[in-house]
Structure formats: C-alpha cells, structure tokens
Amino acid sequence: MKILLEPGHGIDTLGKRSPDERLLEYAWNREIVERVKNKLVGYDVEIIVPELKDITLGERVRRANNICKTEECIYVSVHANAAGMGKKWMSAKGWEIHVSGNASDTSKLVANSMYDEAVKLNRKTRKPTPNQKYWVSNFYVLKYTHCPAVLIESGFYDNLEDCEYLLSERGKEESATIIANGLINYLKQC
C-alpha cells in the first residue's frame, strides 16, 4: 500500500495564516507531512506536492490518480483549519477529519483509525454527531481521487489556544503521530 501525503495550500494562497502571522499554513502543513513521512520508515510514502507554490486541486488529484492506476494507495491531505478569515482570533477549536460523500469504506476506516489516535493523545476533537467520528465534505481532492482519501484539519490557527499548540514542538509531534499511527493501525488490520 502506497501512502500519498499532500500538504494542503501553497505559499501563494492568500490568507491561510494566524492573525498574528506566526503560523503560516503552507509551511506548517509541509513540516507535518515531512514528520509523518519520517515516522513511516519502512512504508511506501510519497509527498505528491513537494513544491512550495500553489498546485491546483486538479493537478493534485491528477498526480494521485496517476499513481493509483498502478498501485493501491491511501491519500492524506494535511491542513490546519480556520473559522474566520485569519484577521482576528475565533472561538472554534479542535482536530477533525473529513471524507467525501462518495467515500469508500476504506476511507472511513482510515478516518476512524486517525480519530482514535487523536483521542488517545487527548486531542480535543470535533465530530458532526456523537456516533460519527468523521465529517462528510465534498472537498475536491476527496471527491475526485480514485483511492481511499482523508483530509485532516489539525486544529484552528485562528484560535489562540490551538495556534499555540500547533506551533509548539508537542503540537507538531502529536499532529504527525496521529496521522502516522492512524495509518499504521489501519494497515495492520488489512
């Protein structure tokens, strides 16, 4: 199984930063993706958007689908969230995971596995209902990839508490651990 890691957003995406501009989502996402890759030694992992600049959603999906034509894959898009436009601190906070409306059972199992890891690390989580661990969202990269796919929102960079956590060494390490251990635990069940 090949793991495709995608750091959402590029350097030229407008906004996508904390109100105090300490957290730049493009840089944070890339650091977390590198940490995840380093935790998955022995697994087949590819970062499908190594560039700093913005790569269109269509190109991200095209890259993933080209690989998925010949190999079994799991697609993981890594993000930090925002409740507003990044201009002021907001109250929404917590970790969440998304699958598409047309998600495969595998996508849902991967999402559940990552959610369980977030809970193990005592991460404040957000879910749509008490009985469903993942959000159903029709994000382009989830809807159009031809392999199981999840999108993680590791916390809200426009919430001061979440922002401090995401910027801390502990927050970065736990964010990467949730993803890596969630994938490892899912793959052990296969």
Side-chain angles (χ1 to χ4, degrees):
M1 179 77 64
K2 188 174 192 100
I3 298 166
L4 305 177
L5 299 176
E6 182 255 302
H9 307 298
I11 192 169
D12 36 351
T13 303
L14 297 176
K16 305 298 182 192
R17 61 191 64 223
S18 62
D20 60 8
E21 298 191 11
R22 289 183 300 139
L23 190 148
L24 305 174
E25 188 182 357
Y26 84 91
W28 190 88
N29 294 346
R30 280 161 178 73
E31 182 176 350
I32 300 309
V33 162
E34 284 294 334
R35 286 176 183 241
V36 171
K37 183 176 180 182
N38 291 337
K39 289 179 178 301
L40 293 172
V41 174
Y43 291 88
D44 188 5
V45 179
E46 183 174 340
I47 297 172
I48 64 166
V49 179
E51 302 92 342
L52 288 178
K53 67 179 183 162
D54 272 324
I55 301 301
T56 67
L57 299 175
E59 176 60 16
R60 291 165 193 257
V61 167
R62 188 195 67 73
R63 289 177 185 183
N65 289 344
N66 278 346
I67 296 166
C68 293
K69 283 179 190 174
T70 58
E71 300 182 61
E72 280 189 80
C73 301
I74 297 173
Y75 182 95
V76 180
S77 185
V78 177
H79 295 260
N81 212 344
M85 301 302 292
K87 303 290 185 199
K88 64 180 183 172
W89 297 109
M90 306 296 283
S91 62
K93 63 182 179 176
W95 183 96
E96 57 191 46
I97 191 159
H98 298 256
V99 300
S100 72
N102 64 346
S104 66
D105 288 341
T106 301
S107 296
K108 295 171 186 175
L109 290 170
V110 170
N112 285 337
S113 182
M114 288 186 189
Y115 180 92
D116 292 344
E117 284 301 313
V119 170
K120 280 183 195 172
L121 289 173
N122 294 316
R123 186 74 179 104
K124 180 191 179 344
T125 58
R126 293 168 41 96
K127 55 186 183 175
T129 67
N131 297 325
Q132 185 171 301
K133 298 174 181 178
Y134 51 81
W135 295 81
V136 175
S137 306
N138 284 317
F139 294 126
Y140 190 91
V141 296
L142 297 179
K143 188 173 181 180
Y144 294 106
T145 52
H146 296 158
C147 60
V150 297
L151 185 146
I152 295 134
E153 296 282 11
S154 298
F156 284 79
Y157 56 77
D158 61 358
N159 174 284
L160 185 57
E161 184 181 342
D162 267 9
C163 184
E164 294 292 343
Y165 172 79
L166 293 171
L167 287 169
S168 72
E169 180 58 29
R170 177 179 161 231
K172 291 174 185 178
E173 190 61 20
E174 287 181 357
S175 295
T177 297
I178 289 167
I179 297 166
N181 286 357
L183 287 165
I184 291 167
N185 290 338
Y186 166 74
L187 292 170
K188 284 179 181 175
Q189 297 170 23
C190 295

